[in-house]
Amino acid sequence: MKVLANNTDQAARRKRGINVFVLLFGVLLVATFLTHVVPAGEYARVEVNGRGVVDPQSFQPLEQTPVSVFALFSAIHTGMVDAGEIIFFVLIIGGAFGVLTATGAVDAFIRSLSKKLGNKDKWLIPIMMLFFAFAGAFTGMAEETLAYIPILVPLAVSLGFDVITGTAIVLVGASIGFTTAIMNPFTVGIAQGIAQLPIFSGIGYRIVLLVIMYAVSVGFIYRYAMKVKKDPSLGFYGEGIAANATSASALAPADDQPLSQTHKWVLICFLLNFVALIYGVLQFQWYITEISALFVILAIVITLISRMSADQLIESFMKGAAGMLTGALIIGLSRATLVVLGDGHVIDTLLFHAAGMLHEIPPVLSAAGMYILQALIHFVVSSGSGQAALTMPIMAPLADLVGVTRQTAVLSFSLADGIGNIIFPTSGYFMAGLALAGIPWIRWAKWILPLILTQFAIGLLAVIVANFMHYGPF
């Protein structure tokens, strides 16, 4: 499996083309150029209910302050430092998930549930997609889905479905949750923090969107799966892990472990962690520091329950944190762009002209425009946390200027970011998942495009409705 994973990573890198860091450095170069050609200017900031907002009538031109070549490279370190709070939050959460993964509890739970559903083919799709949707909504599951494709694809094939069905259960299921982001710490958590919103606020509306997205997506995949079951010639069986899978036994490797009592206690603690998280956020206004502490405690508790040694704890924590390093560095490099624009005093000039254009159209279309713009940006910046760090410092004050709530601006980001994860070839983990299952991107894109367009339309309508109802608190 490790050899296959390595081949998958290589295939994904070939299909991805330009590296995201190269793209972001290109953005940094463009930002530096803008400081030389765009007139400098600045809005006054005023404090409203403890948060800084732009005074829309206060824009004043300033003396030009172009950023030098050396300052361009200095901004990379400055950006890393400025984004330190978010970067270390991401690393700590990743480390805690690494410890959870090392216990084997999640893997054992998935295998156990898959086997129990082995002779209940009609329930496989809705139940397994619900699990992955919850994982995406509460833990930001994305790259972690790759571990479950080798389990679900052979099972789906053995039940008379095909490779696309098994892959979609995992990728689309997790994407539903990641997109609606009920308590996704890597998208909504970061974006709301930058926008100075109470963390995880507006959760009720996102739960409604999760239900809608889940129902639509399950219906789409279920109809396809039943057509394939009725006429196997309509299916796709790939050249990857499921090519020779003909029975449910194909899903269980030699080192398969049952769901033990220890695993159950670990999962219970994981669930209680989120109960405590919700209570702390709502009751005590916990933010990044407190949430990070909660996940460190979780890592220690599940280590004790699973009787891992201190060395195993540190090793698994470091492995989990290492898996988040790319995303963390993307956040820092994204912040470097904002450092350059800030040093050149052109951010407010860009806001001034953007607001001028958006003021010519109704606020409802301004919100829709933010949503579409975020979708286009996501094609280039595939990291959700990186996109939040790059766009929200601009989108939040822009929302103030054009009469859109900041919560709506965050929603525009999270919806556009999540939907693109399972269609854009710039999404690394997605392309790796297709390579693992042996599905060509063109074949997948043709199959899933109707669902993507439907989800995008739902997202667009959700943003418009959010703007009408002044989705808040502000």
Side-chain angles (χ1 to χ4, degrees):
M1 188 61 69
K2 289 183 178 179
V3 174
L4 177 59
N6 290 336
N7 292 336
T8 298
D9 290 341
Q10 292 172 5
R13 282 194 292 269
R14 287 195 298 269
K15 293 181 180 181
R16 247 187 306 185
I18 300 177
N19 186 281
V20 64
F21 288 101
V22 176
L23 287 169
L24 286 176
F25 187 74
V27 172
L28 188 60
L29 291 174
V30 171
T32 303
F33 174 74
L34 290 177
T35 66
H36 290 262
V37 298
V38 174
E42 189 174 55
Y43 280 108
R45 264 67 176 179
V46 295
E47 188 169 308
V48 177
N49 297 325
R51 59 188 174 93
V53 298
V54 171
D55 179 356
Q57 307 301 324
S58 65
F59 182 78
Q60 295 290 335
L62 298 176
E63 183 179 348
Q64 199 80 0
T65 55
V67 173
S68 68
V69 174
F70 187 77
L72 154 69
F73 289 99
S74 299
I76 295 176
H77 175 263
T78 304
M80 296 285 181
V81 173
D82 288 352
E85 183 181 40
I86 297 174
I87 288 174
F88 285 105
F89 172 69
V90 169
L91 294 178
I92 288 173
I93 299 294
F97 286 156
V99 177
L100 177 66
T101 301
T103 67
V106 175
D107 188 63
F109 176 74
I110 289 291
R111 293 180 187 278
S112 175
L113 186 58
S114 298
K115 288 180 179 180
K116 289 179 180 178
L117 295 172
N119 59 353
K120 300 179 180 66
D121 55 345
K122 292 184 177 180
W123 290 102
L124 175 71
I125 295 171
I127 291 178
M128 294 307 301
M129 285 187 68
L130 184 62
F131 169 81
F132 287 113
F134 275 15
F138 289 94
T139 71
M141 176 183 278
E143 289 82 357
E144 297 84 355
T145 56
L146 298 180
Y148 303 112
I149 290 177
I151 301 172
L152 268 297
V153 168
L155 177 61
V157 173
S158 72
L159 293 177
F161 305 134
D162 68 345
V163 171
I164 287 179
T165 302
T167 306
I169 289 173
V170 181
L171 293 181
V172 178
S175 174
I176 295 166
F178 196 95
T179 298
T180 52
I182 293 176
M183 295 182 68
N184 185 341
F186 305 115
T187 55
V188 162
I190 292 174
Q192 288 182 332
I194 294 172
Q196 296 181 295
L197 287 159
I199 196 163
F200 301 135
S201 56
I203 193 171
Y205 190 56
R206 295 198 298 277
I207 290 175
V208 172
L209 291 178
L210 173 64
V211 173
I212 295 172
M213 288 284 197
Y214 171 79
V216 169
S217 301
V218 168
F220 179 85
I221 296 172
Y222 188 86
R223 284 194 300 272
Y224 170 79
M226 291 307 162
K227 288 180 181 178
V228 170
K229 190 174 181 68
K230 185 176 181 180
D231 184 0
S233 66
L234 298 175
F236 179 80
Y237 300 92
E239 300 174 352
I241 57 174
N244 300 314
T246 56
S247 67
S249 62
L251 67 91
D255 61 350
D256 184 21
Q257 293 183 352
L259 185 65
S260 66
Q261 192 64 36
T262 298
H263 290 149
K264 292 177 182 178
W265 278 112
V266 168
L267 293 172
I268 289 172
C269 288
F270 184 62
L271 178 62
L272 291 176
N273 178 74
F274 277 96
V275 174
L277 174 57
I278 294 171
Y279 181 78
V281 167
L282 297 179
Q283 187 68 26
F284 303 113
Q285 288 76 51
W286 282 0
Y287 187 52
I288 285 177
T289 300
E290 293 82 7
I291 294 173
S292 298
L294 190 63
F295 275 91
V296 171
I297 294 171
L298 172 67
I300 295 172
V301 169
I302 62 178
T303 297
L304 296 174
I305 291 174
S306 59
R307 297 177 182 176
M308 294 168 58
S309 67
D311 287 343
Q312 289 174 317
L313 164 63
I314 299 302
E315 182 180 350
S316 57
F317 190 94
M318 293 298 290
K319 183 177 180 181
M324 302 304 301
L325 186 59
T326 297
L329 292 175
I330 287 173
I331 293 171
L333 189 54
S334 298
R335 183 62 65 91
T337 298
L338 298 170
V339 170
V340 166
L341 293 175
D343 289 347
H345 295 95
V346 297
I347 289 182
D348 284 1
T349 303
L350 297 175
L351 284 175
F352 176 76
H353 290 291
M357 290 186 293
L358 291 177
H359 271 308
E360 301 300 321
I361 60 177
V364 61
L365 297 182
S366 298
M370 287 183 176
Y371 175 65
I372 294 170
L373 180 59
Q374 290 283 15
L376 295 175
I377 293 173
H378 185 61
F379 185 85
V380 178
V381 185
S382 60
S383 166
S385 53
Q387 186 174 344
L390 177 65
T391 63
M392 289 315 301
I394 297 175
M395 290 296 181
L398 180 60
D400 295 337
L401 290 170
V402 299
V404 174
T405 67
R406 291 191 177 193
Q407 193 75 272
T408 301
V410 170
L411 182 69
S412 299
F413 149 71
S414 65
L415 291 176
D417 168 74
I419 293 171
N421 280 336
I422 53 171
I423 184 66
F424 290 157
T426 48
S427 174
Y429 86 89
F430 158 65
M431 295 302 290
L434 292 189
L436 188 62
I439 304 174
W441 179 80
I442 292 295
R443 177 64 185 259
W444 173 271
K446 288 180 178 179
W447 173 76
I448 203 171
L449 185 59
L451 177 60
I452 294 296
L453 293 176
T454 302
Q455 288 185 342
F456 190 83
I458 292 171
L460 183 61
L461 181 61
V463 169
I464 293 173
V465 171
N467 191 70
F468 270 124
M469 68 181 192
H470 302 290
Y471 182 40
F474 51 82

